[in-house]
Amino acid sequence: MQSFVGKVVLITGASSGIGRATAELMAARGAKVVIHYRNHIQGATEALATIREAGGDGHIVQADITKQNEVEAMVQEVVSKHGIVDVLINNAGGGVKQSTFMDMTEQLWDETYALKCKKYSSLFSGGFTIYDPEESGLNY
């Protein structure tokens, strides 16, 4: 089992489901977890409480990752608190209206693209030092 003691792990969409389970697992392996949420503050708060009750460490951040300015503010907060992120887990993906392919409007296509694709470039822009193999010691 890989140890993440002292490593900073940012997990988008970590207020529920797979993201929350991942945050709890990473904290159990020693990581300092950053629990990202968009709207579900109660879930993020509960996830952090569960992690802390088990002896883990972390904090929560809010951002709509389809909006560049909010991503930049989130990144700034995480970097100022931790200096580096050793592991980034892009889990966010809910919140887009469900539709059949034939009923997709142009606006819905744009929203889906922003959430499912564009978020990755947003997270990596702005001088965000994500992974430094020399400092991390993780071999991926």
Side-chain angles (χ1 to χ4, degrees):
M1 191 179 304
Q2 176 82 34
S3 172
F4 289 87
V5 173
K7 304 303 177 195
V8 177
V9 179
L10 169 59
I11 305 161
T12 64
S15 63
S16 64
I18 293 171
R20 179 174 174 168
T22 302
E24 292 173 6
L25 175 65
M26 296 303 275
R29 292 188 179 181
K32 297 176 189 174
V33 295
V34 180
I35 299 167
H36 160 265
Y37 73 97
R38 184 180 70 172
N39 295 322
H40 194 202
I41 189 168
Q42 181 178 349
T45 302
E46 290 170 0
L48 183 58
T50 299
I51 287 166
R52 288 184 173 160
E53 287 170 10
D57 186 19
H59 77 279
I60 60 176
V61 294
Q62 189 281 329
D64 179 342
I65 60 172
T66 66
K67 297 180 179 173
Q68 184 68 30
N69 62 324
E70 292 190 29
V71 170
E72 289 172 3
M74 177 184 72
V75 167
Q76 189 66 18
E77 179 181 338
V78 173
V79 170
S80 67
K81 185 168 182 79
H82 299 289
I84 190 170
V85 171
D86 297 293
V87 179
L88 171 64
I89 299 172
N90 278 307
N91 175 69
V96 175
K97 179 184 169 201
Q98 299 296 313
S99 176
T100 64
F101 182 81
M102 296 303 291
D103 292 330
M104 292 278 288
T105 64
E106 184 174 355
Q107 180 180 351
L108 188 52
W109 277 112
D110 291 343
E111 291 171 5
T112 302
Y113 177 78
L115 183 60
K116 306 287 186 180
C117 301
K118 188 178 173 186
K119 70 179 180 183
Y120 298 107
S121 65
S122 296
L123 283 164
F124 290 111
S125 66
F128 191 14
T129 304
I130 297 285
Y131 174 69
D132 183 342
E134 298 293 318
E135 288 187 34
S136 174
L138 299 175
N139 297 311
Y140 294 106

